[in-house]
């Protein structure tokens, strides 16, 4: 249901002095940044800000505590000298138009440059940053030792270390575009966002003149192997894995799922593609536990392993839904925005079995040539419940379909064996 449109003056109740507010115009999707205008999500520039919420996602809460403790200067404006991107990312066709990119600011990495003239007057901050890195992984070293990767001094520095460009993204939601992407009414979306965050952002209701929202959620990191200038040029092959965070596996090597093996396999395919003259992209989304959070995730693990009949593929999705209310909240519909921003038009090797990811990517107009599943010998023993359940649910696989009887068999470890 649409919400009533209140005049901005109603904010005078919570922020005295906020009469005659004049948000700086921001025309979402305009091709020229001068026409588009900056995103201003300032906590101090109440009169001119044009976005709800604030920078740094969930970390803004720590900033609030730092301010409360007197460790963060009130009214602080960052000194952004020398923070500009180390790699030039010129505008791409997908940056233009109100509906192709709706969850990040395409000009976010250049905000303090293209809107330089307005920096003196307004608190404008980058929402994308671009740097370079060396990454070193034991799985890369294994691939080198087994002869699958070679040290070329360019993409691979040594047996375990690769060169890459990395890009961090903060979410900037254009609410009408987000609503359109999900096929819901924008007023209804704003009310749900307001209510489900415990009323954290009253302006979702009171400032319907503001269409932009910086949600307090985790961002995205992109790792590019090979020359980023090749992205979007169909003369060069492109490999890609879109990976949703799984801290337990990605960082700590937990064996209940295939996340880290699939991630490192994706990195290997990306390096291999870059070494063959192409470019590889790992897009890492902070959507822990299918965006249900780690507390929910561990509750589900317990419920799976304690259920009558043991941990098995047949009930894998059901146990999640019982605890979380849904099976998945990652909303892959927003995921391709990052790929569109990068200028990717064709993925030659998509390292993913997920139909939801595949369909979202092709739905965004990006061609997928080949889908690559995780090699069987990389699946940890306790992760067969997950992988079998996913295959049975229709995830991409080149192997034989699971029978109903096979799905009923308990395959996960019980707690007694821990
Ligand atoms: Zn996992």
């Amino acid at each position: 249901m649409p919400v009533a449109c209140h005049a901005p003056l109603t904010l005078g109740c919570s922020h005295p002095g906020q009469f005659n507010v004049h948000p700086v115009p921001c025309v979402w999707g305009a091709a020229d940044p001068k026409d588009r205008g900056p995103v201003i999500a300032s906590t101090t520039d109440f009169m001119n800000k044009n976005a709800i919420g604030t920078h740094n996602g969930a970390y803004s809460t720590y900033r609030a505590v730092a301010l409360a403790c007197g460790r963060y200067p009130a009214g602080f404006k960052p000194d952004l000298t020398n923070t500009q991107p180390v790699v030039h990312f010129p505008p791409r066709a997908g940056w233009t138009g109100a509906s192709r990119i709706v969850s990040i600011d395409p000009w976010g990495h250049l905000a303090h440059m293209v809107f330089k003239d307005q920096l003196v007057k307004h608190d404008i901050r980058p929402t994308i940053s671009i740097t370079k890195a060396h990454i070193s992984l034991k799985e890369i070293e294994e691939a080198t030792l087994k002869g699958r990767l070679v040290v070329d001094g360019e993409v691979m520095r040594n047996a375990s270390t690769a060169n890459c460009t990395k890009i961090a993204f903060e979410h900037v939601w254009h609410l009408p575009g987000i609503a359109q992407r999900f096929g819901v009414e924008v007023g209804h979306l704003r009310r749900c966002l307001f209510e489900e965050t415990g009323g954290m952002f009253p302006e979702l209701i009171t400032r319907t003149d503001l269409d932009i929202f910086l949600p307090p959620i985790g961002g995205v990191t992109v790792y590019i192997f090979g020359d980023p200038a090749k992205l979007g040029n169909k003369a060069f092959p492109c490999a890609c894995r879109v990976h949703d965070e799984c801290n337990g596996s990605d960082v700590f090597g937990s064996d209940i799922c295939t996340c880290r093996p699939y991630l490192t396999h994706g990195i290997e395919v990306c390096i291999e593609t870059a070494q063959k003259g192409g470019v590889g992209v790992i897009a890492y989304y902070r959507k822990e536990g299918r965006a249900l959070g780690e507390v929910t995730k561990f509750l589900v693990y317990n419920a799976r392993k304690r259920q009558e009949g043991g941990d098995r593929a047949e009930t894998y999705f059901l146990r999640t839904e019982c605890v979380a209310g849904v099976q998945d909240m990652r909303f892959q519909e927003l995921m391709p925005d990052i790929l569109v921003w990068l200028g990717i038009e064709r993925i030659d090797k998509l390292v993913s079995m997920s139909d939801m990811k595949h369909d979202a990517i092709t739905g965004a107009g990006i061609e997928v040539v080949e889908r690559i599943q995780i090699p069987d010998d990389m699946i940890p023993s306790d992760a067969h419940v997950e992988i079998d359940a996913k295959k049975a649910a229709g995830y991409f696989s080149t192997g034989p379909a699971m029978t109903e009887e096979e799905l009923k068999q308990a395959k996960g470890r019980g707690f007694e064996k821990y």
Side-chain angles (χ1 to χ4, degrees), residues 85-89 129-135 155 162-168 221-229 231 279-282 341-342:
V86 297
V87 174
H88 182 50
F89 266 85
S129 54
I130 305 175
T131 190
K132 289 195 170 196
H134 301 167
I135 64 161
V155 182
N163 288 319
C164 64
T165 302
K166 59 180 182 182
I167 310 177
T221 314
V222 163
Y223 288 80
I224 300 170
F225 301 87
D227 184 357
L231 286 167
V279 62
V281 172
I282 300 288
W341 185 85
L342 290 168

PDB file of all heavy atoms in Angstrom, residues 85-89 129-135 155 162-168 221-229 231 279-282 341-342:
ATOM      1  N   PRO A  85      41.053   6.547  -7.375  1.00  0.00           N
ATOM      2  CA  PRO A  85      41.314   5.197  -7.877  1.00  0.00           C
ATOM      3  C   PRO A  85      42.701   5.071  -8.503  1.00  0.00           C
ATOM      4  O   PRO A  85      43.181   6.000  -9.156  1.00  0.00           O
ATOM      5  CB  PRO A  85      40.226   5.004  -8.944  1.00  0.00           C
ATOM      6  CG  PRO A  85      39.141   5.957  -8.576  1.00  0.00           C
ATOM      7  CD  PRO A  85      39.823   7.130  -7.940  1.00  0.00           C
ATOM      8  N   VAL A  86      43.326   3.882  -8.323  1.00  0.00           N
ATOM      9  CA  VAL A  86      44.637   3.656  -8.950  1.00  0.00           C
ATOM     10  C   VAL A  86      44.466   3.133 -10.374  1.00  0.00           C
ATOM     11  O   VAL A  86      45.426   3.026 -11.122  1.00  0.00           O
ATOM     12  CB  VAL A  86      45.503   2.670  -8.133  1.00  0.00           C
ATOM     13  CG1 VAL A  86      45.816   3.243  -6.764  1.00  0.00           C
ATOM     14  CG2 VAL A  86      44.825   1.316  -8.015  1.00  0.00           C
ATOM     15  N   VAL A  87      43.239   2.746 -10.722  1.00  0.00           N
ATOM     16  CA  VAL A  87      42.938   2.299 -12.083  1.00  0.00           C
ATOM     17  C   VAL A  87      41.787   3.148 -12.597  1.00  0.00           C
ATOM     18  O   VAL A  87      40.826   3.399 -11.870  1.00  0.00           O
ATOM     19  CB  VAL A  87      42.530   0.812 -12.098  1.00  0.00           C
ATOM     20  CG1 VAL A  87      42.085   0.372 -13.490  1.00  0.00           C
ATOM     21  CG2 VAL A  87      43.680  -0.062 -11.614  1.00  0.00           C
ATOM     22  N   HIS A  88      41.903   3.589 -13.846  1.00  0.00           N
ATOM     23  CA  HIS A  88      40.865   4.439 -14.420  1.00  0.00           C
ATOM     24  C   HIS A  88      39.663   3.590 -14.849  1.00  0.00           C
ATOM     25  O   HIS A  88      39.816   2.644 -15.615  1.00  0.00           O
ATOM     26  CB  HIS A  88      41.425   5.200 -15.621  1.00  0.00           C
ATOM     27  CG  HIS A  88      40.444   6.140 -16.249  1.00  0.00           C
ATOM     28  ND1 HIS A  88      39.713   7.053 -15.511  1.00  0.00           N
ATOM     29  CD2 HIS A  88      40.053   6.297 -17.538  1.00  0.00           C
ATOM     30  CE1 HIS A  88      38.925   7.724 -16.317  1.00  0.00           C
ATOM     31  NE2 HIS A  88      39.105   7.285 -17.545  1.00  0.00           N
ATOM     32  N   PHE A  89      38.506   3.906 -14.321  1.00  0.00           N
ATOM     33  CA  PHE A  89      37.274   3.235 -14.745  1.00  0.00           C
ATOM     34  C   PHE A  89      36.360   4.266 -15.387  1.00  0.00           C
ATOM     35  O   PHE A  89      35.577   4.923 -14.713  1.00  0.00           O
ATOM     36  CB  PHE A  89      36.576   2.571 -13.550  1.00  0.00           C
ATOM     37  CG  PHE A  89      36.950   1.140 -13.371  1.00  0.00           C
ATOM     38  CD1 PHE A  89      38.088   0.793 -12.666  1.00  0.00           C
ATOM     39  CD2 PHE A  89      36.190   0.130 -13.932  1.00  0.00           C
ATOM     40  CE1 PHE A  89      38.461  -0.524 -12.519  1.00  0.00           C
ATOM     41  CE2 PHE A  89      36.553  -1.199 -13.786  1.00  0.00           C
ATOM     42  CZ  PHE A  89      37.692  -1.529 -13.078  1.00  0.00           C
ATOM     43  N   SER A 129      35.799   2.545  -3.856  1.00  0.00           N
ATOM     44  CA  SER A 129      37.232   2.835  -3.845  1.00  0.00           C
ATOM     45  C   SER A 129      37.973   1.717  -4.570  1.00  0.00           C
ATOM     46  O   SER A 129      37.556   0.558  -4.532  1.00  0.00           O
ATOM     47  CB  SER A 129      37.750   3.023  -2.418  1.00  0.00           C
ATOM     48  OG  SER A 129      37.420   1.913  -1.611  1.00  0.00           O
ATOM     49  N   ILE A 130      39.059   2.109  -5.244  1.00  0.00           N
ATOM     50  CA  ILE A 130      39.762   1.167  -6.127  1.00  0.00           C
ATOM     51  C   ILE A 130      41.251   1.185  -5.817  1.00  0.00           C
ATOM     52  O   ILE A 130      41.887   2.247  -5.838  1.00  0.00           O
ATOM     53  CB  ILE A 130      39.547   1.555  -7.613  1.00  0.00           C
ATOM     54  CG1 ILE A 130      38.037   1.639  -7.926  1.00  0.00           C
ATOM     55  CG2 ILE A 130      40.247   0.552  -8.535  1.00  0.00           C
ATOM     56  CD1 ILE A 130      37.708   2.138  -9.328  1.00  0.00           C
ATOM     57  N   THR A 131      41.806  -0.003  -5.524  1.00  0.00           N
ATOM     58  CA  THR A 131      43.232  -0.096  -5.220  1.00  0.00           C
ATOM     59  C   THR A 131      43.811  -1.372  -5.833  1.00  0.00           C
ATOM     60  O   THR A 131      43.132  -2.073  -6.563  1.00  0.00           O
ATOM     61  CB  THR A 131      43.453  -0.025  -3.687  1.00  0.00           C
ATOM     62  OG1 THR A 131      44.839   0.125  -3.424  1.00  0.00           O
ATOM     63  CG2 THR A 131      42.940  -1.251  -2.972  1.00  0.00           C
ATOM     64  N   LYS A 132      45.061  -1.643  -5.551  1.00  0.00           N
ATOM     65  CA  LYS A 132      45.709  -2.855  -6.074  1.00  0.00           C
ATOM     66  C   LYS A 132      46.191  -3.711  -4.916  1.00  0.00           C
ATOM     67  O   LYS A 132      46.403  -3.208  -3.817  1.00  0.00           O
ATOM     68  CB  LYS A 132      46.884  -2.482  -6.973  1.00  0.00           C
ATOM     69  CG  LYS A 132      46.434  -1.865  -8.286  1.00  0.00           C
ATOM     70  CD  LYS A 132      47.567  -1.845  -9.289  1.00  0.00           C
ATOM     71  CE  LYS A 132      47.026  -1.464 -10.668  1.00  0.00           C
ATOM     72  NZ  LYS A 132      47.955  -1.769 -11.736  1.00  0.00           N
ATOM     73  N   ALA A 133      46.364  -5.017  -5.193  1.00  0.00           N
ATOM     74  CA  ALA A 133      46.781  -5.922  -4.113  1.00  0.00           C
ATOM     75  C   ALA A 133      47.511  -7.139  -4.659  1.00  0.00           C
ATOM     76  O   ALA A 133      47.404  -7.463  -5.845  1.00  0.00           O
ATOM     77  CB  ALA A 133      45.549  -6.376  -3.324  1.00  0.00           C
ATOM     78  N   HIS A 134      48.264  -7.786  -3.777  1.00  0.00           N
ATOM     79  CA  HIS A 134      48.803  -9.123  -4.036  1.00  0.00           C
ATOM     80  C   HIS A 134      47.994 -10.057  -3.151  1.00  0.00           C
ATOM     81  O   HIS A 134      47.840  -9.778  -1.958  1.00  0.00           O
ATOM     82  CB  HIS A 134      50.277  -9.229  -3.613  1.00  0.00           C
ATOM     83  CG  HIS A 134      51.180  -8.270  -4.302  1.00  0.00           C
ATOM     84  ND1 HIS A 134      52.468  -8.026  -3.884  1.00  0.00           N
ATOM     85  CD2 HIS A 134      50.983  -7.483  -5.394  1.00  0.00           C
ATOM     86  CE1 HIS A 134      53.032  -7.142  -4.686  1.00  0.00           C
ATOM     87  NE2 HIS A 134      52.145  -6.779  -5.602  1.00  0.00           N
ATOM     88  N   ILE A 135      47.468 -11.143  -3.692  1.00  0.00           N
ATOM     89  CA  ILE A 135      46.780 -12.088  -2.821  1.00  0.00           C
ATOM     90  C   ILE A 135      47.505 -13.429  -2.858  1.00  0.00           C
ATOM     91  O   ILE A 135      47.964 -13.886  -3.895  1.00  0.00           O
ATOM     92  CB  ILE A 135      45.284 -12.262  -3.178  1.00  0.00           C
ATOM     93  CG1 ILE A 135      45.083 -12.863  -4.563  1.00  0.00           C
ATOM     94  CG2 ILE A 135      44.536 -10.955  -3.056  1.00  0.00           C
ATOM     95  CD1 ILE A 135      43.686 -13.442  -4.718  1.00  0.00           C
ATOM     96  N   VAL A 155      50.548 -11.961 -14.069  1.00  0.00           N
ATOM     97  CA  VAL A 155      49.341 -12.251 -13.283  1.00  0.00           C
ATOM     98  C   VAL A 155      49.752 -12.967 -11.990  1.00  0.00           C
ATOM     99  O   VAL A 155      49.255 -12.654 -10.908  1.00  0.00           O
ATOM    100  CB  VAL A 155      48.355 -13.127 -14.086  1.00  0.00           C
ATOM    101  CG1 VAL A 155      47.087 -13.379 -13.263  1.00  0.00           C
ATOM    102  CG2 VAL A 155      47.997 -12.454 -15.409  1.00  0.00           C
ATOM    103  N   ALA A 162      49.138 -13.860  -6.507  1.00  0.00           N
ATOM    104  CA  ALA A 162      48.663 -13.257  -7.757  1.00  0.00           C
ATOM    105  C   ALA A 162      48.494 -11.751  -7.588  1.00  0.00           C
ATOM    106  O   ALA A 162      48.216 -11.262  -6.482  1.00  0.00           O
ATOM    107  CB  ALA A 162      47.331 -13.883  -8.160  1.00  0.00           C
ATOM    108  N   ASN A 163      48.659 -11.029  -8.682  1.00  0.00           N
ATOM    109  CA  ASN A 163      48.386  -9.588  -8.705  1.00  0.00           C
ATOM    110  C   ASN A 163      46.902  -9.373  -8.988  1.00  0.00           C
ATOM    111  O   ASN A 163      46.305 -10.113  -9.768  1.00  0.00           O
ATOM    112  CB  ASN A 163      49.166  -8.914  -9.843  1.00  0.00           C
ATOM    113  CG  ASN A 163      50.646  -8.831  -9.556  1.00  0.00           C
ATOM    114  OD1 ASN A 163      51.052  -8.549  -8.435  1.00  0.00           O
ATOM    115  ND2 ASN A 163      51.464  -9.085 -10.578  1.00  0.00           N
ATOM    116  N   CYS A 164      46.326  -8.374  -8.362  1.00  0.00           N
ATOM    117  CA  CYS A 164      44.934  -8.061  -8.699  1.00  0.00           C
ATOM    118  C   CYS A 164      44.610  -6.595  -8.414  1.00  0.00           C
ATOM    119  O   CYS A 164      45.350  -5.901  -7.714  1.00  0.00           O
ATOM    120  CB  CYS A 164      43.967  -8.976  -7.950  1.00  0.00           C
ATOM    121  SG  CYS A 164      44.001  -8.789  -6.189  1.00  0.00           S
ATOM    122  N   THR A 165      43.518  -6.175  -9.003  1.00  0.00           N
ATOM    123  CA  THR A 165      42.943  -4.868  -8.704  1.00  0.00           C
ATOM    124  C   THR A 165      41.725  -5.147  -7.840  1.00  0.00           C
ATOM    125  O   THR A 165      40.961  -6.068  -8.135  1.00  0.00           O
ATOM    126  CB  THR A 165      42.479  -4.176 -10.007  1.00  0.00           C
ATOM    127  OG1 THR A 165      43.601  -4.072 -10.876  1.00  0.00           O
ATOM    128  CG2 THR A 165      41.898  -2.801  -9.723  1.00  0.00           C
ATOM    129  N   LYS A 166      41.535  -4.399  -6.761  1.00  0.00           N
ATOM    130  CA  LYS A 166      40.342  -4.660  -5.944  1.00  0.00           C
ATOM    131  C   LYS A 166      39.518  -3.388  -5.739  1.00  0.00           C
ATOM    132  O   LYS A 166      40.056  -2.298  -5.604  1.00  0.00           O
ATOM    133  CB  LYS A 166      40.683  -5.353  -4.626  1.00  0.00           C
ATOM    134  CG  LYS A 166      41.634  -4.640  -3.703  1.00  0.00           C
ATOM    135  CD  LYS A 166      41.847  -5.490  -2.442  1.00  0.00           C
ATOM    136  CE  LYS A 166      42.769  -4.813  -1.446  1.00  0.00           C
ATOM    137  NZ  LYS A 166      43.010  -5.648  -0.255  1.00  0.00           N
ATOM    138  N   ILE A 167      38.227  -3.604  -5.741  1.00  0.00           N
ATOM    139  CA  ILE A 167      37.277  -2.485  -5.687  1.00  0.00           C
ATOM    140  C   ILE A 167      36.256  -2.738  -4.588  1.00  0.00           C
ATOM    141  O   ILE A 167      35.643  -3.814  -4.539  1.00  0.00           O
ATOM    142  CB  ILE A 167      36.521  -2.336  -7.029  1.00  0.00           C
ATOM    143  CG1 ILE A 167      37.507  -2.333  -8.207  1.00  0.00           C
ATOM    144  CG2 ILE A 167      35.662  -1.086  -7.031  1.00  0.00           C
ATOM    145  CD1 ILE A 167      36.834  -2.269  -9.566  1.00  0.00           C
ATOM    146  N   ALA A 168      36.099  -1.782  -3.708  1.00  0.00           N
ATOM    147  CA  ALA A 168      35.100  -1.899  -2.635  1.00  0.00           C
ATOM    148  C   ALA A 168      33.897  -1.021  -2.960  1.00  0.00           C
ATOM    149  O   ALA A 168      34.052   0.129  -3.416  1.00  0.00           O
ATOM    150  CB  ALA A 168      35.705  -1.470  -1.302  1.00  0.00           C
ATOM    151  N   THR A 221      32.958  -6.538  -2.596  1.00  0.00           N
ATOM    152  CA  THR A 221      34.340  -6.334  -3.029  1.00  0.00           C
ATOM    153  C   THR A 221      34.566  -7.098  -4.325  1.00  0.00           C
ATOM    154  O   THR A 221      34.158  -8.258  -4.432  1.00  0.00           O
ATOM    155  CB  THR A 221      35.345  -6.827  -1.974  1.00  0.00           C
ATOM    156  OG1 THR A 221      34.945  -6.357  -0.687  1.00  0.00           O
ATOM    157  CG2 THR A 221      36.749  -6.315  -2.283  1.00  0.00           C
ATOM    158  N   VAL A 222      35.185  -6.446  -5.276  1.00  0.00           N
ATOM    159  CA  VAL A 222      35.513  -7.092  -6.556  1.00  0.00           C
ATOM    160  C   VAL A 222      37.024  -7.246  -6.669  1.00  0.00           C
ATOM    161  O   VAL A 222      37.767  -6.302  -6.375  1.00  0.00           O
ATOM    162  CB  VAL A 222      34.964  -6.250  -7.737  1.00  0.00           C
ATOM    163  CG1 VAL A 222      35.627  -6.647  -9.054  1.00  0.00           C
ATOM    164  CG2 VAL A 222      33.452  -6.411  -7.852  1.00  0.00           C
ATOM    165  N   TYR A 223      37.461  -8.440  -7.043  1.00  0.00           N
ATOM    166  CA  TYR A 223      38.884  -8.705  -7.312  1.00  0.00           C
ATOM    167  C   TYR A 223      39.016  -8.983  -8.802  1.00  0.00           C
ATOM    168  O   TYR A 223      38.343  -9.871  -9.326  1.00  0.00           O
ATOM    169  CB  TYR A 223      39.385  -9.904  -6.495  1.00  0.00           C
ATOM    170  CG  TYR A 223      39.530  -9.604  -5.022  1.00  0.00           C
ATOM    171  CD1 TYR A 223      38.423  -9.603  -4.173  1.00  0.00           C
ATOM    172  CD2 TYR A 223      40.774  -9.289  -4.484  1.00  0.00           C
ATOM    173  CE1 TYR A 223      38.566  -9.306  -2.826  1.00  0.00           C
ATOM    174  CE2 TYR A 223      40.913  -8.993  -3.128  1.00  0.00           C
ATOM    175  CZ  TYR A 223      39.805  -9.002  -2.311  1.00  0.00           C
ATOM    176  OH  TYR A 223      39.936  -8.692  -0.985  1.00  0.00           O
ATOM    177  N   ILE A 224      39.870  -8.213  -9.473  1.00  0.00           N
ATOM    178  CA  ILE A 224      40.045  -8.366 -10.925  1.00  0.00           C
ATOM    179  C   ILE A 224      41.448  -8.894 -11.214  1.00  0.00           C
ATOM    180  O   ILE A 224      42.446  -8.328 -10.739  1.00  0.00           O
ATOM    181  CB  ILE A 224      39.838  -7.018 -11.649  1.00  0.00           C
ATOM    182  CG1 ILE A 224      38.427  -6.489 -11.373  1.00  0.00           C
ATOM    183  CG2 ILE A 224      40.057  -7.164 -13.160  1.00  0.00           C
ATOM    184  CD1 ILE A 224      38.202  -5.060 -11.833  1.00  0.00           C
ATOM    185  N   PHE A 225      41.511  -9.974 -11.960  1.00  0.00           N
ATOM    186  CA  PHE A 225      42.798 -10.550 -12.371  1.00  0.00           C
ATOM    187  C   PHE A 225      42.980 -10.249 -13.859  1.00  0.00           C
ATOM    188  O   PHE A 225      42.081 -10.501 -14.660  1.00  0.00           O
ATOM    189  CB  PHE A 225      42.802 -12.062 -12.117  1.00  0.00           C
ATOM    190  CG  PHE A 225      42.575 -12.393 -10.662  1.00  0.00           C
ATOM    191  CD1 PHE A 225      41.273 -12.524 -10.167  1.00  0.00           C
ATOM    192  CD2 PHE A 225      43.644 -12.522  -9.794  1.00  0.00           C
ATOM    193  CE1 PHE A 225      41.051 -12.798  -8.828  1.00  0.00           C
ATOM    194  CE2 PHE A 225      43.430 -12.792  -8.451  1.00  0.00           C
ATOM    195  CZ  PHE A 225      42.123 -12.937  -7.967  1.00  0.00           C
ATOM    196  N   GLY A 226      44.153  -9.738 -14.219  1.00  0.00           N
ATOM    197  CA  GLY A 226      44.369  -9.302 -15.596  1.00  0.00           C
ATOM    198  C   GLY A 226      44.059  -7.813 -15.704  1.00  0.00           C
ATOM    199  O   GLY A 226      43.774  -7.134 -14.712  1.00  0.00           O
ATOM    200  N   ASP A 227      44.115  -7.302 -16.933  1.00  0.00           N
ATOM    201  CA  ASP A 227      43.948  -5.868 -17.173  1.00  0.00           C
ATOM    202  C   ASP A 227      42.468  -5.461 -17.103  1.00  0.00           C
ATOM    203  O   ASP A 227      41.673  -5.890 -17.942  1.00  0.00           O
ATOM    204  CB  ASP A 227      44.517  -5.538 -18.562  1.00  0.00           C
ATOM    205  CG  ASP A 227      44.484  -4.045 -18.856  1.00  0.00           C
ATOM    206  OD1 ASP A 227      43.977  -3.272 -18.015  1.00  0.00           O
ATOM    207  OD2 ASP A 227      44.965  -3.657 -19.944  1.00  0.00           O
ATOM    208  N   PRO A 228      42.093  -4.622 -16.132  1.00  0.00           N
ATOM    209  CA  PRO A 228      40.674  -4.209 -16.021  1.00  0.00           C
ATOM    210  C   PRO A 228      40.160  -3.519 -17.277  1.00  0.00           C
ATOM    211  O   PRO A 228      38.947  -3.511 -17.530  1.00  0.00           O
ATOM    212  CB  PRO A 228      40.680  -3.235 -14.837  1.00  0.00           C
ATOM    213  CG  PRO A 228      41.919  -3.536 -14.073  1.00  0.00           C
ATOM    214  CD  PRO A 228      42.928  -4.019 -15.078  1.00  0.00           C
ATOM    215  N   ALA A 229      41.070  -2.955 -18.079  1.00  0.00           N
ATOM    216  CA  ALA A 229      40.640  -2.258 -19.301  1.00  0.00           C
ATOM    217  C   ALA A 229      40.016  -3.230 -20.307  1.00  0.00           C
ATOM    218  O   ALA A 229      39.310  -2.811 -21.226  1.00  0.00           O
ATOM    219  CB  ALA A 229      41.831  -1.536 -19.937  1.00  0.00           C
ATOM    220  N   LEU A 231      37.789  -5.441 -19.538  1.00  0.00           N
ATOM    221  CA  LEU A 231      36.394  -5.710 -19.168  1.00  0.00           C
ATOM    222  C   LEU A 231      35.452  -5.013 -20.145  1.00  0.00           C
ATOM    223  O   LEU A 231      35.618  -3.829 -20.440  1.00  0.00           O
ATOM    224  CB  LEU A 231      36.116  -5.198 -17.747  1.00  0.00           C
ATOM    225  CG  LEU A 231      36.711  -6.020 -16.610  1.00  0.00           C
ATOM    226  CD1 LEU A 231      36.651  -5.250 -15.299  1.00  0.00           C
ATOM    227  CD2 LEU A 231      35.995  -7.352 -16.477  1.00  0.00           C
ATOM    228  N   VAL A 279      40.414 -11.766 -18.792  1.00  0.00           N
ATOM    229  CA  VAL A 279      40.294 -11.080 -17.508  1.00  0.00           C
ATOM    230  C   VAL A 279      39.355 -11.892 -16.610  1.00  0.00           C
ATOM    231  O   VAL A 279      38.422 -12.547 -17.095  1.00  0.00           O
ATOM    232  CB  VAL A 279      39.795  -9.620 -17.724  1.00  0.00           C
ATOM    233  CG1 VAL A 279      38.415  -9.591 -18.358  1.00  0.00           C
ATOM    234  CG2 VAL A 279      39.814  -8.811 -16.450  1.00  0.00           C
ATOM    235  N   GLY A 280      39.666 -11.919 -15.330  1.00  0.00           N
ATOM    236  CA  GLY A 280      38.850 -12.669 -14.378  1.00  0.00           C
ATOM    237  C   GLY A 280      38.309 -11.770 -13.285  1.00  0.00           C
ATOM    238  O   GLY A 280      38.995 -10.842 -12.837  1.00  0.00           O
ATOM    239  N   VAL A 281      37.073 -12.032 -12.860  1.00  0.00           N
ATOM    240  CA  VAL A 281      36.405 -11.186 -11.859  1.00  0.00           C
ATOM    241  C   VAL A 281      35.804 -12.043 -10.749  1.00  0.00           C
ATOM    242  O   VAL A 281      35.000 -12.936 -11.022  1.00  0.00           O
ATOM    243  CB  VAL A 281      35.267 -10.356 -12.511  1.00  0.00           C
ATOM    244  CG1 VAL A 281      34.447  -9.624 -11.448  1.00  0.00           C
ATOM    245  CG2 VAL A 281      35.825  -9.372 -13.518  1.00  0.00           C
ATOM    246  N   ILE A 282      36.212 -11.775  -9.517  1.00  0.00           N
ATOM    247  CA  ILE A 282      35.536 -12.349  -8.357  1.00  0.00           C
ATOM    248  C   ILE A 282      34.743 -11.219  -7.719  1.00  0.00           C
ATOM    249  O   ILE A 282      35.316 -10.201  -7.314  1.00  0.00           O
ATOM    250  CB  ILE A 282      36.542 -12.896  -7.315  1.00  0.00           C
ATOM    251  CG1 ILE A 282      37.431 -14.004  -7.908  1.00  0.00           C
ATOM    252  CG2 ILE A 282      35.798 -13.388  -6.068  1.00  0.00           C
ATOM    253  CD1 ILE A 282      36.763 -15.328  -8.158  1.00  0.00           C
ATOM    254  N   TRP A 341      28.118  -2.373 -13.947  1.00  0.00           N
ATOM    255  CA  TRP A 341      29.017  -1.244 -13.679  1.00  0.00           C
ATOM    256  C   TRP A 341      30.405  -1.492 -14.266  1.00  0.00           C
ATOM    257  O   TRP A 341      31.031  -0.597 -14.833  1.00  0.00           O
ATOM    258  CB  TRP A 341      29.135  -1.011 -12.159  1.00  0.00           C
ATOM    259  CG  TRP A 341      29.945   0.199 -11.805  1.00  0.00           C
ATOM    260  CD1 TRP A 341      29.514   1.491 -11.733  1.00  0.00           C
ATOM    261  CD2 TRP A 341      31.349   0.232 -11.496  1.00  0.00           C
ATOM    262  NE1 TRP A 341      30.562   2.322 -11.395  1.00  0.00           N
ATOM    263  CE2 TRP A 341      31.688   1.583 -11.240  1.00  0.00           C
ATOM    264  CE3 TRP A 341      32.336  -0.736 -11.406  1.00  0.00           C
ATOM    265  CZ2 TRP A 341      32.981   1.975 -10.913  1.00  0.00           C
ATOM    266  CZ3 TRP A 341      33.637  -0.349 -11.080  1.00  0.00           C
ATOM    267  CH2 TRP A 341      33.948   0.998 -10.840  1.00  0.00           C
ATOM    268  N   LEU A 342      30.872  -2.751 -14.144  1.00  0.00           N
ATOM    269  CA  LEU A 342      32.191  -3.107 -14.678  1.00  0.00           C
ATOM    270  C   LEU A 342      32.205  -3.107 -16.208  1.00  0.00           C
ATOM    271  O   LEU A 342      33.263  -3.148 -16.819  1.00  0.00           O
ATOM    272  CB  LEU A 342      32.606  -4.495 -14.172  1.00  0.00           C
ATOM    273  CG  LEU A 342      32.953  -4.603 -12.680  1.00  0.00           C
ATOM    274  CD1 LEU A 342      33.042  -6.060 -12.274  1.00  0.00           C
ATOM    275  CD2 LEU A 342      34.263  -3.876 -12.358  1.00  0.00           C
TER     276      LEU A 342
END
